[in-house]
Amino acid sequence: MRSEDEMYSLILEAAKNDNRVKAVYMNGSRTNENVPKDMFQDYDIVYVVEDTQSFIEDKDWIRIFGEILYMQYPDENPNYPSDKKNSFGYLMQFADGTRIDLTVQSVTYALDHIQDDKLCRILLDKEHLLPETEAATDRQYWVKKPAKEQYLAACNEFWWCTNNIAKGLWRKEIPYVQDMTNNCVRPELITMLNWKTGILTGWTVSTGKSSKYLYKWLSEEEWQMLLSTYFDGNVAHAWKSVFNMCKLFENTARFVGEKSGWEYHESEGKAAQDFLEYVHRLSIE
């Protein structure tokens, strides 16, 4: 795999040698000093160009970056909106394991959007087109303190949707159970764990995309319990995971409520768990 120095040199030399490219900036994990560094981090690069059309018409120009194993043109996906005139992306996985997510942006578009992501670092500006930017920071991704209404809504959503998990498990409808768990219930648990992290850190950290860095602030017991909520296609395993999920959520919600001065609705959680226990007994009789 090519080194970081090699990749930066290649990316910048390609830009310097192409008169259509006016500037280069980068964002993503490689500009975030709080993210653990490793060889699989993507290079999230933007080329600011006069006109995107010539780059789109002749896609072979990207082969300058190396042997492409496979790739994606996200702006050609008919299921998502795009503005090819102003922004066009190339997601490239190279044979040596390196990945570049490269976007060509019009000057106008770049000027309007370069400061949307505070993890921005300007690498090259041939004609001094880009504005000065602050040092890259993940501040905009820090866990945000919730309002009381958000806290209560998260609790209610978690407990209400366990009803669907219970019925799905009784029916042995694992695809439905997985969907309810992954898209309705666990997100509320992750949200609550994020809020606990925010309280513990004074609301000054990001837990990363998909909250993948939560392990840094959870106890080992909490982290292992969270991992145990990811179950397979076995119904008995799923029941165990769901009960673990409820225990972890309740403990965390109590903590967040207490530290925030809000009352956790004990009766709501108890009623939901009683129903889960009832359906679980029915499922094994």
Side-chain angles (χ1 to χ4, degrees), residues 101-146:
D101 290 354
L102 175 64
T103 304
V104 291
Q105 291 181 354
S106 68
V107 174
T108 301
Y109 187 92
L111 291 175
D112 287 342
H113 294 279
I114 188 172
Q115 300 194 66
D116 289 353
D117 189 339
K118 301 304 181 184
L119 284 171
C120 171
R121 181 186 300 161
I122 296 173
L123 303 181
L124 176 68
D125 192 353
K126 296 179 182 178
E127 301 175 10
H128 307 289
L129 296 172
L130 302 179
E132 291 188 12
T133 58
E134 298 179 0
T137 175
D138 63 0
R139 181 183 292 271
Q140 72 191 97
Y141 302 106
W142 288 357
V143 177
K144 294 176 176 56
K145 185 176 182 179

Side-chain angles (χ1 to χ4, degrees), residues 8 24-28 30-31 43-45 119-121 123:
Y8 284 140
V24 182
Y25 68 91
M26 179 171 68
N27 48 39
R30 286 189 179 271
T31 68
Y43 292 86
D44 297 303
I45 303 295
L119 284 171
C120 171
R121 181 186 300 161
L123 303 181

Side-chain angles (χ1 to χ4, degrees), residues 66-83:
E67 181 186 351
I68 297 174
L69 192 61
Y70 54 96
M71 66 174 301
Q72 185 177 84
Y73 302 105
D75 297 291
E76 292 187 346
N77 188 324
N79 296 314
Y80 301 99
S82 63
D83 179 12

Side-chain angles (χ1 to χ4, degrees), residues 240-259:
K240 184 177 180 180
S241 292
V242 169
F243 287 128
N244 283 345
M245 194 179 305
C246 290
K247 181 179 179 181
L248 180 58
F249 182 87
E250 189 162 63
N251 290 341
T252 309
R254 284 172 177 158
F255 176 89
V256 173
E258 178 183 344
K259 296 299 182 180

Side-chain angles (χ1 to χ4, degrees), residues 189-253:
L189 170 61
I190 296 295
T191 293
M192 199 63 67
L193 289 169
N194 271 298
W195 288 342
K196 179 176 183 177
T197 298
I199 291 170
L200 293 174
T201 61
W203 310 98
T204 59
V205 299
S206 164
T207 59
K209 187 174 184 179
S210 303
S211 299
K212 59 187 177 182
Y213 300 130
L214 264 175
Y215 67 88
K216 293 182 177 182
W217 297 282
L218 300 184
S219 68
E220 181 62 21
E221 180 182 1
E222 289 172 319
W223 178 243
Q224 291 304 320
M225 187 169 286
L226 174 59
L227 294 181
S228 77
T229 69
Y230 294 86
F231 52 86
D232 56 22
N234 182 286
V235 171
H237 295 170
W239 274 114
K240 184 177 180 180
S241 292
V242 169
F243 287 128
N244 283 345
M245 194 179 305
C246 290
K247 181 179 179 181
L248 180 58
F249 182 87
E250 189 162 63
N251 290 341
T252 309

Side-chain angles (χ1 to χ4, degrees), residues 142-210:
W142 288 357
V143 177
K144 294 176 176 56
K145 185 176 182 179
K148 179 180 179 180
E149 292 75 15
Q150 291 174 295
Y151 166 76
L152 294 175
C155 292
N156 180 256
E157 180 72 3
F158 179 91
W159 291 120
W160 173 253
C161 289
T162 59
N163 178 294
N164 295 323
I165 291 177
K167 291 185 289 187
L169 284 174
W170 182 81
R171 295 167 178 151
K172 296 181 171 57
E173 297 171 340
I174 285 295
Y176 173 76
V177 170
Q178 291 280 12
D179 184 56
M180 283 292 108
T181 303
N182 294 328
N183 296 313
C184 298
V185 177
R186 189 182 290 107
E188 302 302 339
L189 170 61
I190 296 295
T191 293
M192 199 63 67
L193 289 169
N194 271 298
W195 288 342
K196 179 176 183 177
T197 298
I199 291 170
L200 293 174
T201 61
W203 310 98
T204 59
V205 299
S206 164
T207 59
K209 187 174 184 179
S210 303

